[in-house]
Amino acid sequence: MEKPCSLLVHFDKGSAAMANEIKADLEGSDGPAKADAMRRAISLLLNGETLPQLFITIVRYVLPSEDHTVQKLLLLYLEIIDRRDPAGRALPEMILICQNLRNNLQSPNEYIRGVTLRFLCRLSEPEVLEPLVPSVLANLEHRHHFIRRHAVSSVSAIYRLPHGDQLIPDAPELVERFLASEQDASARRNAFLMLCACAQDRAVAYLLSNADRVAEWPDLLQMAVVDLIRKVCRSQNRANKGRYITIITSLLSTPSTAVVYECAGALVSLSSAPTAVRAAANTYCQLLSSQSDNNVKLILLDRLNELHTLHRDVMVGVVMDVLRALASPNLDVKRKVLDLVLDLLTPRNVEEVVLYLKKEVVKTQAGDLEKGGEYRQMLVQAIHACAVEYSEVAGSVVHLLMDFLGDTNVAAAVDVVLFVREIIETNPKLRVSMIQRLIDTFYQIRASRVCSCALWILGEYSLSLSEVESAIATIKQCLGDLPFYTVSDEGEATDSAKPAKAVVNSVTVSSRRPVVLADGTYATQSAATETILTPSVAPGSLASTLNLRSLILSGDFFLAAVVACTLAKLVLRLEEVQPSKVESNKACTGALLIMTSILQLGQSSYLPHPIDNDSYDRIVLCVRLLCNTGDDVRKIWLQSCRQSFAKMLAEKQFRETEEMKAKAQISHAQPDDLIDFYHLKSRKGMSQLELEDEVHDDLKAATGGFTKDADDANKLNRILQLTGFSDPVYAEAFVTVHHYDIVLDVTVINRTKETLQNLCLELATMGDLKLVDRPQNYTLAPESSKQIRANIKVSSTETGVIFGNIVYETSNVMERSVVVLNDIHIDIMDYISPATCADVTFRNMWAEFEWENKVAVNTVIQDEKEFLNHIIKSTNMKCLTPPSALDGECGFLAANLYAKSVFGEDALVNISIEKQHDGKLSGYIRIRSKTQGIALSLGDKITLKQKGGS
C-alpha cells in the first residue's frame, strides 16, 4: 500500500535584499557566482516570485556570457518566466533575446546549438520564432547527429503551433527528405514521429516503401512504426491491413524485447485470425521465459489471460509453455500461472499438465524452495481441480498426494484430505487402494482437522472385512493403551501407554496434579504419552504413532467425538460383513471401552477444560447406538451420510456448470444483416493470414461479436451536475472509473454575455484520492463551452469525495468570482466485483482479518431470501452459500458473501438474520477485511441500501 510521505523543503521567500544580492552577482564577472545567482533566481520563480527587475540585468550581463552552465541556466530561466503580457502578446523584451538565440544556433560549439534547439521546442511565440526559422533549418544539415536530432524536434514543434504552417510551410517535405538520408537512430525517430503527427500520409507512404527493411531499423524507429500502424488502423479503412500485418510479423523476430512485446499486442488488435493470435501467444510465452523481472512476468500473464478470454481454442496449444513460468520463485507469478492453466485444460492436455504438476510437487519436498509449503498447497489445489474435472487422471496423482497428509503446512494437508474425500466418492475403482493407503499413512497425520476428515473417510468407505478390521486396529493403535490417565495413591505418575517390555529409548511427556479422593486422602492424577524410539528411529526425532492420543489429551474433544462416531460406524459395518458373532461382540466391547474412557477423561479434573456438551452428547449417542441398534438407525448411520455427501458433490458440480453457462456470451446477428459468402470471394493477392482473418471476422459478425456491450442508460447515470442552472457558469461531469484511475470529463458552459478570463477548475480530494494534473487557466467566450479533463489516482477501496470550485475573472469586476461545485462521491461499487473462494479459504480469511464492521439489520423487507438478494444486488458481491442450504422456511438465515477489489483486497460479509413474531427481520451483517477502508465503506453502503431503497 502506498503511504503518504511529507518532505519539508526550506527556502526563504524572496525579498528586496535577496533580489539585490542576486542582481549584484549577475553583474559580476565571476562565472560560478553568476551560475549560482541564476539557480537562486530560478528557484524563486518556481516558488511563485515574479522578479521583473532581473530581466534587463540578465539580458545585459548573462546573455554575453560564454560559460556553458550559465547559458543552459539562461535557457531554463527563459522557459519558466511569463513571456506574454495580459493581452496575450509576446513581451517586447523577448525581441532582445532573438539575436542571442540566433548566435547560439550558429555557435561553433555543438552543445550550445543543441540545448538552444531543445529550448525552441518549448517556445510558442511566433514573433520570437519567425527570425530563427532559417537558422533552425540550416541545422538540419549539420555534421553532428546531436544537433540534427534536436533540429528535427524544433521543426516539428514549430510546425505544430497554431500558425506553424505559415512559419515553415514546407516542413513535411523537408523532414521527409531528411528522413531518407539520415543515419542516426534518434534523429530518424524524431523525423518519423513528426511525419506521423503532421503528415500521416507521408509517414505511411515512407513505411510501405521501406516495408522490406523495417526489421533492420533501430528499435526506437520500430516502436514508432508500431504506434503508427495502430493509429492508422483505428482511424482509417484497413485497405493495407495485410501489409501492416506482414510488417508486424517481421518485427516479432527483432532482438528488442520492448518492440516484440508491442508488436504482439498490435498483432492481436489488428487481426483475430488464429495464426495471428498464436504468434502473439508464442511471443508472450518466449518473453515470459526469458525475462527475470517479476513485474514483467505478471504483465505478460495478464496479456495471456486477455488472449485466453477471447481466443481460448488457440491458447490451449501454448499451455505447456505457460507452465514453464512456474520456475519463477515468486508466488504471485506461480498463482497466476496455475489459474491460467486450469482454464485451458482439455482432455488432450490434462495428462501432460498433471504430470508436470506432479514433478513440481516432488520438487517441493526437497525443502530448498522459499515458501515451499504455500507453493505445495497451490499445487495440491490445482491437481484437485484437474482430477475433479477429468476423473481419469485421479489415479495417477492421488497416491502421491496422500504422502502429504502429515504435512507440517496444515492448510496443504487439509487440501489433500479434502481431495482424497472427493476422489474416493467420484472414483469407485480407486476406493480399495486409497483406503489401504490411508490406513498405512494415518499415523503420520498431526493436524486435528485432517484427522477428523480422514476418520470420516475410514468410517464411510471401509466396506470389506479386512478394511474394517484394519481401520479399527489403526484407530486403537493411534489411541494407545487405556485409560488415558491413572490415579496413584503413592503420588507417582504412571504411564498407561507404556508397554510391558523394556524398550531401547523412550521419551515420556507427563502432566500431574494433586486431587482429593472420596475418603479425604490425597492422590496424584496424571496423564502421559510415551514415544517409543526403536533402533530404526533416531532418538531425537520423537516419531510417534499416538497422534490421536496426543490431540485428545490436548483437549480436542470434537476429534474425540469423531473417533467415537467412526468406531460406531465401523462396528456396525463389521456386524454386517463378519460372520462370527464373537468377533463382532469383541469389537463392539473395545469400541465401548474407548468411548467410556474418553467420557471419563472429559469429566475428570485433569484437563483444564472439561468436555463440551455437544461432544458429550455425541459420544453418549454412539454408546447407546452400540448397545441397542435398530434397522432404521443402522441405515441412517451406514448409508445416509454418504448419500448426503454425494448429493453435495452433485450440487456443487451443477452450480459450477450453471455459472459457466451464465458467463457464456449469447449474441446473435440481426435479421437484416448482410450475408457475406466467403467461398465466393476473390482470393487473389491475399495471404493465408488475411484469409483466416476474413473468416474470423465473418464468424464474429454472425455471432454478434462486434456488438457493443456498453449500456447508454448506464452512461447517462454517470453524468453529475456540479452547479445550478442559475449560476453564471454551468458545469457537469462525466465520471469514468478505470481500475486505479478516475477520469472526470467536466463540461463548463459560460452562460453570461461576457468573456471569462483565467477560468480555473480547482479540485481537492478527501480519502485515498490524489490529483494528477495541476489546474490550468482558460479563457471562455460568451455562451461558449469548454471540455476540461481531470485525472485522479486511486490507491485503495475507501470511499472518497471530490470537491472544489470554479474561479474566473471578468473585465468589469476586478475581484475573482467563485462558483462552488457539488461534491462527487466515488462509489465503492466501482472497485469491487463478485468473486469465489473455497469455504476453507473464507474461514481462514475470516479468522485472519482484523477489521470488522457490524451493521444491525433495519429493513422493511420481511422475507429473508428477498433481503439476502437485495443485499447481494446492492453490494455487488457473490453468495458463497449454496442454494440448497438456503432452502426451506425456518425463520432463520445465515449466508456468506465474498467480493474482491481491483487492488486485490478481499471483502467478506456474513449475514445472520431471524424473523421475529411480528414479521420483521432482525440480526446483524458483519463485514471483515484486511484494511479499514473497505470495511467502513461497505458498511456505509449496506446501511444506506438495506431498507429496500434503490
Side-chain angles (χ1 to χ4, degrees):
M1 293 298 296
E2 182 180 353
K3 296 182 178 179
C5 177
S6 300
L7 176 64
L8 178 62
V9 179
H10 174 71
F11 192 84
D12 291 333
K13 193 171 179 64
S15 60
M18 181 177 292
N20 292 332
E21 182 181 349
I22 293 174
K23 184 177 180 181
D25 290 338
L26 291 176
E27 293 175 352
S29 58
D30 187 7
K34 191 174 292 188
D36 184 65
M38 287 295 297
R39 290 191 185 94
R40 283 182 287 161
I42 292 172
S43 298
L44 286 172
L45 287 170
L46 293 176
N47 279 275
E49 301 293 332
T50 55
L51 303 179
Q53 67 273 22
L54 289 182
F55 188 78
I56 298 300
T57 303
I58 290 176
V59 170
R60 292 181 59 190
Y61 297 99
V62 178
L63 279 181
S65 176
E66 297 180 359
D67 188 282
H68 293 175
T69 304
V70 174
Q71 286 294 322
K72 183 176 181 180
L73 291 172
L74 170 64
L75 295 177
L76 288 176
Y77 171 82
L78 295 175
E79 183 178 338
I80 63 177
I81 63 172
D82 191 1
R83 300 183 295 270
R84 294 181 180 271
D85 59 14
R89 296 184 297 269
L91 293 173
E93 292 86 350
M94 288 299 298
I95 304 302
L96 301 174
I97 309 295
C98 286
Q99 184 60 39
N100 177 264
L101 295 177
R102 185 186 295 110
N103 294 337
N104 287 349
L105 292 175
Q106 298 172 357
S107 171
N109 186 278
E110 289 85 359
Y111 176 75
I112 294 298
R113 284 200 188 198
V115 295
T116 305
L117 287 167
R118 188 164 55 189
F119 165 71
L120 294 183
C121 297
R122 293 161 175 82
L123 280 183
S124 58
E125 291 77 21
E127 303 91 335
V128 180
L129 291 171
E130 185 176 4
L132 303 177
V133 169
S135 300
V136 172
L137 297 179
N139 281 301
L140 288 173
E141 300 176 358
H142 195 274
R143 59 181 178 81
H144 202 283
H145 60 83
F146 176 75
I147 296 175
R148 298 196 303 272
R149 182 187 311 165
H150 291 296
V152 174
S153 299
S154 300
V155 171
S156 175
I158 294 172
Y159 189 78
R160 281 185 287 180
L161 291 175
H163 302 287
D165 54 346
Q166 299 177 8
L167 296 176
I168 314 179
D170 58 344
E173 294 87 344
L174 292 174
V175 173
E176 188 175 11
R177 289 198 299 269
F178 172 83
L179 182 60
S181 60
E182 181 58 45
Q183 299 298 323
D184 180 65
S186 297
R188 293 175 67 189
R189 171 184 174 273
N190 293 345
F192 190 77
L193 288 177
M194 187 271 177
L195 291 180
C196 293
C198 305
Q200 194 176 88
D201 294 340
R202 292 179 181 271
V204 171
Y206 177 78
L207 172 62
L208 296 179
S209 63
N210 295 275
D212 299 335
R213 296 189 294 272
V214 172
E216 303 171 2
W217 287 358
D219 55 352
L220 291 175
L221 193 53
Q222 289 174 346
M223 292 287 284
V225 166
V226 176
D227 291 337
L228 174 65
I229 291 176
R230 280 177 171 165
K231 186 186 299 184
V232 169
C233 290
R234 277 198 300 262
S235 59
Q236 299 179 356
N237 56 13
R238 301 188 173 190
N240 294 313
K241 179 181 175 182
R243 300 188 66 182
Y244 293 144
I245 293 177
T246 303
I247 294 173
I248 293 292
T249 306
S250 66
L251 291 178
L252 289 176
S253 57
T254 58
S256 173
T257 55
V259 174
V260 169
Y261 173 79
E262 292 295 333
C263 286
L267 188 60
V268 175
S269 64
L270 283 176
S271 172
S272 301
T275 303
V277 177
R278 192 175 298 110
N282 290 330
T283 301
Y284 286 141
C285 290
Q286 291 173 6
L287 293 174
L288 191 62
S289 59
S290 62
Q291 299 300 307
S292 58
D293 189 274
N294 291 327
N295 294 323
V296 174
K297 289 180 180 290
L298 292 173
I299 293 172
L300 290 169
L301 287 170
D302 287 338
R303 301 290 84 76
L304 287 170
N305 199 29
E306 292 173 1
L307 288 182
H308 146 255
T309 304
L310 300 174
H311 312 280
R312 184 182 184 277
D313 295 339
V314 179
M315 284 294 297
V316 167
V318 299
V319 64
M320 297 308 299
D321 296 327
V322 177
L323 267 179
R324 294 190 182 94
L326 289 176
S328 171
N330 186 269
L331 282 182
D332 293 330
V333 175
K334 295 177 184 290
R335 186 176 293 107
K336 275 201 170 185
V337 169
L338 291 176
D339 291 342
L340 178 59
V341 167
L342 291 180
D343 289 336
L344 297 175
L345 288 178
T346 63
R348 291 185 176 183
N349 62 21
V350 64
E351 293 186 2
E352 198 173 1
V353 170
V354 170
L355 181 62
Y356 194 97
L357 296 179
K358 281 176 61 178
K359 293 179 181 178
E360 290 295 313
V361 171
V362 174
K363 289 180 184 178
T364 61
Q365 292 178 289
D368 301 333
L369 295 176
E370 184 181 358
K371 297 183 178 179
E374 295 181 38
Y375 181 39
R376 182 159 57 246
Q377 181 184 358
M378 292 162 50
L379 291 172
V380 169
Q381 293 172 349
I383 294 175
H384 185 179
C386 296
V388 169
E389 189 172 356
Y390 301 96
S391 57
E392 61 271 12
V393 301
S396 62
V397 294
V398 66
H399 294 93
L400 172 66
L401 294 184
M402 290 181 75
D403 292 335
F404 297 98
L405 287 172
D407 197 340
T408 53
N409 185 355
V410 178
V414 170
D415 288 332
V416 171
V417 77
L418 295 178
F419 169 67
V420 171
R421 186 182 66 175
E422 187 167 351
I423 295 302
I424 201 172
E425 170 62 30
T426 56
N427 293 265
K429 296 179 180 179
L430 301 175
R431 185 194 62 80
V432 176
S433 60
M434 291 177 65
I435 285 294
Q436 187 58 47
R437 183 76 170 178
L438 182 59
I439 291 173
D440 294 339
T441 58
F442 186 82
Y443 71 93
Q444 299 176 356
I445 302 175
R446 291 293 176 267
S448 174
R449 183 152 184 229
V450 181
C451 280
S452 301
C453 192
L455 286 169
W456 185 88
I457 295 172
L458 290 177
E460 291 293 334
Y461 298 97
S462 298
L463 303 180
S464 65
L465 176 60
S466 60
E467 291 170 353
V468 174
E469 291 178 343
S470 299
I472 294 175
T474 299
I475 294 174
K476 287 183 177 180
Q477 181 184 0
C478 293
L479 287 172
D481 293 339
L482 301 176
F484 290 100
Y485 71 96
T486 59
V487 178
S488 172
D489 292 336
E490 293 81 5
E492 296 180 358
T494 59
D495 181 13
S496 60
K498 186 174 181 179
K501 63 179 183 179
V503 294
V504 178
N505 291 301
S506 67
V507 177
T508 304
V509 181
S510 62
S511 299
R512 63 184 70 183
R513 63 172 64 190
V515 295
V516 180
L517 299 179
D519 57 356
T521 59
Y522 285 94
T524 299
Q525 187 181 59
S526 65
T529 60
E530 179 168 11
T531 300
I532 302 171
L533 304 181
T534 62
S536 62
V537 181
S541 64
L542 298 182
S544 174
T545 59
L546 306 179
N547 51 348
L548 291 179
R549 185 184 188 91
S550 60
L551 290 171
I552 293 175
L553 287 176
S554 66
D556 191 350
F557 285 103
F558 176 80
L559 177 62
V562 175
V563 171
C565 293
T566 304
L567 287 173
K569 291 179 183 179
L570 292 173
V571 170
L572 293 177
R573 187 162 283 115
L574 185 64
E575 293 177 357
E576 292 183 348
V577 299
Q578 174 62 263
S580 173
K581 198 71 173 178
V582 177
E583 293 296 329
S584 300
N585 291 337
K586 184 178 178 181
C588 181
T589 304
L592 289 172
L593 179 61
I594 292 174
M595 297 176 193
T596 53
S597 299
I598 294 174
L599 292 174
Q600 182 185 14
L601 174 66
Q603 293 179 332
S604 69
S605 58
Y606 160 69
L607 295 178
H609 301 289
I611 186 172
D612 58 284
N613 294 332
D614 291 338
S615 300
Y616 178 83
D617 294 341
R618 189 73 169 165
I619 297 173
V620 170
L621 176 64
C622 294
V623 172
R624 292 176 177 174
L625 174 67
L626 294 182
C627 294
N628 185 13
T629 307
D631 292 338
D632 294 338
V633 178
R634 182 187 297 271
K635 182 179 179 181
I636 292 173
W637 278 72
L638 295 183
Q639 298 179 15
S640 299
C641 293
R642 185 172 174 182
Q643 291 172 358
S644 299
F645 179 61
K647 183 180 179 182
M648 185 192 79
L649 292 180
E651 183 178 326
K652 176 184 174 185
Q653 184 68 26
F654 175 77
R655 192 165 67 247
E656 292 175 353
T657 305
E658 290 297 317
E659 289 177 358
M660 292 179 63
K661 289 181 180 179
K663 289 181 181 178
Q665 182 181 3
I666 301 175
S667 53
H668 305 282
Q670 296 298 320
D672 57 344
D673 286 348
L674 294 177
I675 300 177
D676 200 352
F677 293 97
Y678 160 69
H679 291 286
L680 300 181
K681 277 187 175 182
S682 172
R683 307 185 186 182
K684 185 177 180 181
M686 297 181 67
S687 64
Q688 180 63 28
L689 186 59
E690 291 178 271
L691 293 174
E692 291 182 10
D693 202 31
E694 290 282 344
V695 177
H696 202 271
D697 286 350
D698 291 343
L699 289 175
K700 287 182 69 176
T703 57
F706 291 133
T707 57
K708 297 181 179 179
D709 297 330
D711 187 7
D712 293 336
N714 190 29
K715 286 185 176 181
L716 292 175
N717 292 335
R718 293 185 174 274
I719 297 179
L720 304 176
Q721 182 178 342
L722 301 182
T723 62
F725 292 110
S726 60
D727 289 321
V729 176
Y730 175 77
E732 64 181 19
F734 179 76
V735 183
T736 304
V737 179
H738 181 70
H739 294 297
Y740 301 95
D741 299 310
I742 298 175
V743 180
L744 297 181
D745 290 308
V746 183
T747 302
V748 180
I749 301 175
N750 181 6
R751 305 184 70 244
T752 67
K753 301 294 184 180
E754 300 177 352
T755 300
L756 305 183
Q757 300 176 355
N758 295 328
L759 184 142
C760 179
L761 175 65
E762 298 178 347
L763 296 176
T765 60
M766 187 172 62
D768 287 338
L769 306 176
K770 293 182 181 179
L771 283 169
V772 178
D773 304 321
R774 297 177 63 183
Q776 298 181 7
N777 293 336
Y778 302 94
T779 300
L780 211 57
E783 298 182 351
S784 63
S785 62
K786 180 72 178 177
Q787 294 285 340
I788 303 175
R789 171 167 291 189
N791 295 305
I792 298 171
K793 180 184 176 185
V794 187
S795 56
S796 76
T797 323
E798 183 178 354
T799 299
V801 180
I802 304 173
F803 54 94
N805 48 55
I806 294 178
V807 183
Y808 61 91
E809 296 176 353
T810 58
S811 57
N812 298 334
V813 182
M814 299 302 295
E815 296 181 356
R816 305 190 74 184
S817 302
V818 179
V819 178
V820 180
L821 305 178
N822 292 332
D823 295 344
I824 301 175
H825 294 267
I826 303 302
D827 195 352
I828 186 178
M829 296 300 103
D830 294 324
Y831 302 113
I832 66 174
S833 57
T836 58
C837 69
D839 291 339
V840 178
T841 307
F842 186 91
R843 293 192 190 99
N844 292 338
M845 289 191 293
W846 187 269
E848 176 187 351
F849 291 170
E850 56 184 3
W851 290 103
E852 177 176 306
N853 191 2
K854 193 173 182 180
V855 180
V857 174
N858 181 16
T859 180
V860 296
I861 301 175
Q862 296 187 354
D863 183 73
E864 304 97 313
K865 294 179 183 177
E866 182 184 350
F867 178 73
L868 173 63
N869 294 331
H870 175 69
I871 294 297
I872 292 174
K873 182 180 179 181
S874 301
T875 58
N876 197 24
M877 303 186 78
K878 182 174 180 60
C879 182
L880 300 182
T881 306
S884 60
L886 302 174
D887 288 342
E889 299 290 339
C890 62
F892 297 90
L893 187 143
N896 293 330
L897 310 182
Y898 178 66
K900 207 172 184 66
S901 74
V902 296
F903 308 101
E905 300 168 318
D906 300 290
L908 314 178
V909 173
N910 173 262
I911 300 178
S912 299
I913 52 178
E914 175 186 1
K915 196 166 189 176
Q916 301 294 331
H917 297 293
D918 56 359
K920 294 183 179 180
L921 298 181
S922 65
Y924 291 96
I925 302 173
R926 293 198 293 165
I927 307 153
R928 286 197 181 184
S929 65
K930 205 168 188 178
T931 57
Q932 182 185 18
I934 193 170
L936 294 177
S937 301
L938 260 182
D940 295 340
K941 186 73 175 180
I942 291 174
T943 303
L944 181 66
K945 294 285 187 178
Q946 68 168 323
K947 291 188 177 182
S950 59

